[in-house]
């Protein structure tokens, strides 16, 4: 079956760095997305990786290793507004998007 | 960036009422639209995938006669919750993706703002 694993919850301190991991096992691979979802709101797109390596976008970076079926989202200089759920999603060979359950990130002052 | 408009954002109605939710892509052609449901503190649950001009594909356990989906044009999909009951109360979110053309795999899903449905 298809499976995406992320930690359920993480806690970090304002100003610090946090890494949210995602491992996947899917039928084929056509890219991996990270989304941010604040409570009570719809998800918003953060990043897309299809090749191995690191993609940097301001305070957020996303890394992919296809051979390991692994990705992480790195958030630097954490701000209180970064408290949200972070969703990892993989596009499989049929271009279906398979969602992880999300990681709830709690930022403490 | 791409915008998806979802309407209404909030619905409160009596048990037995049918509720229609609209999802529009405003600046791109949404060849594929998705309908999700999310209960409090739970992850997104895909209900169905619809492609323009064809019947929706429902996920296992989702009643197609209960949740009617119409995707009549490249910019509009509707979800109708028929004869809604309190257990149908949830946060319904649509998303759209342009899967035509080259580079389609890199196209993210763009989400509407969601519809909070409360059935009394």
């Amino acid at each position: 079956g298809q499976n995406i694993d992320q930690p359920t919850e993480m806690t970090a301190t304002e100003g610090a760095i946090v890494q949210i991991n995602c491992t996947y096992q899917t039928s084929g691979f056509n890219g991996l997305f990270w989304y941010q979802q604040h409570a009570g709101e719809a998800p918003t797109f953060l990043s897309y990786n299809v090749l191995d390596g690191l993609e940097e976008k301001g305070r957020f970076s996303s890394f992919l290793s296809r051979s390991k079926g692994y990705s992480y989202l790195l958030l630097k200089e954490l701000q209180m507004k970064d408290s949200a759920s972070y969703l990892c999603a993989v596009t499989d060979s049929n271009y279906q998007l398979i969602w992880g359950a999300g990681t709830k990130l709690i930022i403490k002052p | 960036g791409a915008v998806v408009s979802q309407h209404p954002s909030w619905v409160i109605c009596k048990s037995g009422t049918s509720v229609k939710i609209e999802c529009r892509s405003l600046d791109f052609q949404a060849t594929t639209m998705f309908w999700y449901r999310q209960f409090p503190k739970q992850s997104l649950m895909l209900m169905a995938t619809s492609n323009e001009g064809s019947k929706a594909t429902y996920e296992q356990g989702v009643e197609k006669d209960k949740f009617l989906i119409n995707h009549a044009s490249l910019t509009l999909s509707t979800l109708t919750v028929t004869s809604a009951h309190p257990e149908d109360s949830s946060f319904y979110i649509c998303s759209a993706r342009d899967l035509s053309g080259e580079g389609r795999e890199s196209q993210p899903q763009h989400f509407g703002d969601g519809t909070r449905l409360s059935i009394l």
Side-chain angles (χ1 to χ4, degrees), chain A residues 8-12 18 20 75 78-80 82-86 103-107:
Chain A
T8 304
E9 188 173 296
M10 298 181 72
T11 302
V18 71
I20 302 174
L75 292 77
L78 286 170
Q79 301 175 9
M80 297 304 292
D82 297 330
S83 292
S85 287
Y86 291 86
T103 299
K104 183 178 179 181
L105 178 63
I106 299 167
I107 309 296

Side-chain angles (χ1 to χ4, degrees), chain B residues 38-115:
Chain B
Q38 188 174 37
F39 293 104
K41 297 184 181 179
Q42 293 188 23
S43 60
L44 288 173
M45 254 182 42
L46 179 65
M47 298 174 68
T49 302
S50 73
N51 293 298
E52 183 264 337
S54 61
K55 289 184 180 178
T57 303
Y58 289 80
E59 295 299 301
Q60 196 169 11
V62 179
E63 300 173 56
K64 55 183 69 175
D65 294 331
K66 171 84 174 172
F67 299 98
L68 301 178
I69 292 171
N70 184 282
H71 190 165
S73 78
L74 282 171
T75 59
L76 174 65
S77 176
T78 60
L79 166 68
T80 302
V81 184
T82 62
S83 187
H85 289 96
E87 59 265 29
D88 298 323
S89 298
S90 187
F91 188 45
Y92 291 86
I93 313 172
C94 74
S95 71
R97 203 174 180 197
D98 183 2
L99 291 177
S100 63
E102 290 187 24
R104 56 179 172 160
E105 61 276 1
S106 67
Q107 294 298 315
Q109 286 191 19
H110 299 283
F111 287 86
D113 288 335
T115 297

Side-chain angles (χ1 to χ4, degrees), chain A residues 5-91:
Chain A
D5 286 315
Q6 309 178 230
T8 304
E9 188 173 296
M10 298 181 72
T11 302
T13 305
E14 192 177 13
I17 299 173
V18 71
Q19 177 175 310
I20 302 174
N21 296 325
C22 170
T23 57
Y24 62 88
Q25 293 157 331
T26 55
S27 55
F29 177 83
N30 276 307
L32 184 145
F33 295 88
W34 283 97
Y35 283 81
Q36 180 191 61
Q37 186 179 23
H38 284 101
E41 298 181 12
T44 54
F45 168 71
L46 288 178
S47 67
Y48 171 75
N49 293 70
V50 67
L51 299 176
D52 290 349
L54 188 68
E55 296 276 344
E56 297 188 70
K57 261 189 189 180
R59 294 190 298 115
F60 292 5
S61 303
S62 56
F63 171 83
L64 175 68
S65 168
R66 288 171 297 171
S67 62
K68 295 181 179 177
Y70 166 70
S71 172
Y72 67 71
L73 180 69
L74 190 72
L75 292 77
K76 302 177 186 175
E77 300 168 20
L78 286 170
Q79 301 175 9
M80 297 304 292
K81 67 178 182 179
D82 297 330
S83 292
S85 287
Y86 291 86
L87 308 173
C88 172
V90 172
T91 305

Side-chain angles (χ1 to χ4, degrees), chain B residues 19-37:
Chain B
V19 178
K20 181 188 274 190
I21 303 169
E22 289 190 352
C23 182
R24 292 179 186 272
S25 59
L26 298 184
D27 57 358
F28 68 104
Q29 292 187 334
T31 52
T32 306
M33 285 186 166
F34 306 86
W35 288 95
Y36 293 87
R37 182 165 55 182

